[in-house]
Amino acid sequence: KAPEKLASRKFAHRKLAEDYAPPAQGEEETALIGGFSQPLPQVLETILAMIENELKTALAYQVYAQTLHGLVRGDIAEEFLEHADQETEHAQYLMKRYSVLGGGPLNLPDVPAPAGSTDPIDIIQRMMRIEQEGAAKWRLLHSMIDESTPMRFKVEEYMTREEEHQDDLKRY
């Protein structure tokens, strides 16, 4: 069952990308967009890079959860699968925002599998680096969003989660 579950999760990002239609045009949609300190194309480019990163991170957590063996597998694997679900949630949110902001169709590249490793310490160090990279991207997006834009609150929530992921990894 595990390989089937992993395979279905690996390609779930393609289905997610297809679920978001181009945005409608009108006053309600314009109000949802809010303001940004950078030109919208730059914001969209950042969001697109973040979607790819969140999906890459989710896949890495899933793969490494299945890779761990022995005494370390239980707690860490469970934690990794929980983090994978949260990373997927982040990607879904970013896809919605990309669509609402007029980003057009999402053409996501295949998400590469993470580097192979069975050493728990190496895996945790790899995931820490990936999480740090993700946190930096969230900070960049946060810096682009005007204070009055509602999107800012969700971005702050996800920034906090990324920090919590790093804290969780440091425990191991």
Side-chain angles (χ1 to χ4, degrees), residues 8-40:
S8 68
R9 285 184 173 189
K10 180 177 179 182
F11 296 105
H13 73 278
R14 291 183 187 198
K15 168 105 174 77
L16 295 173
E18 294 166 2
D19 287 344
Y20 302 106
Q25 299 298 319
E27 287 183 33
E28 275 186 35
E29 290 76 17
T30 303
L32 289 173
I33 291 173
F36 299 93
S37 64
Q38 301 297 319
L40 189 56

Side-chain angles (χ1 to χ4, degrees), residues 37-48:
S37 64
Q38 301 297 319
L40 189 56
Q42 185 176 347
V43 172
L44 290 170
E45 182 179 313
T46 299
I47 291 173
L48 192 58

Side-chain angles (χ1 to χ4, degrees), residues 59-71:
L59 180 60
Y61 274 125
Q62 292 164 2
V63 168
Y64 288 142
Q66 302 305 320
T67 302
L68 294 167
H69 297 285
L71 296 174

Side-chain angles (χ1 to χ4, degrees), residues 79 83 86 159-169:
E79 185 89 38
H83 286 203
Q86 291 173 353
M159 285 172 55
T160 301
R161 278 204 199 157
E162 296 294 338
E163 184 178 305
E164 289 169 355
H165 289 179
Q166 290 177 55
D167 291 344
D168 291 342
L169 291 168

Side-chain angles (χ1 to χ4, degrees), residues 117-131:
S117 180
T118 56
D119 176 26
I121 295 189
D122 181 52
I123 290 172
I124 290 167
Q125 289 173 343
R126 288 173 190 268
M127 291 312 304
M128 181 63 84
R129 283 190 299 273
I130 291 171
E131 284 290 358

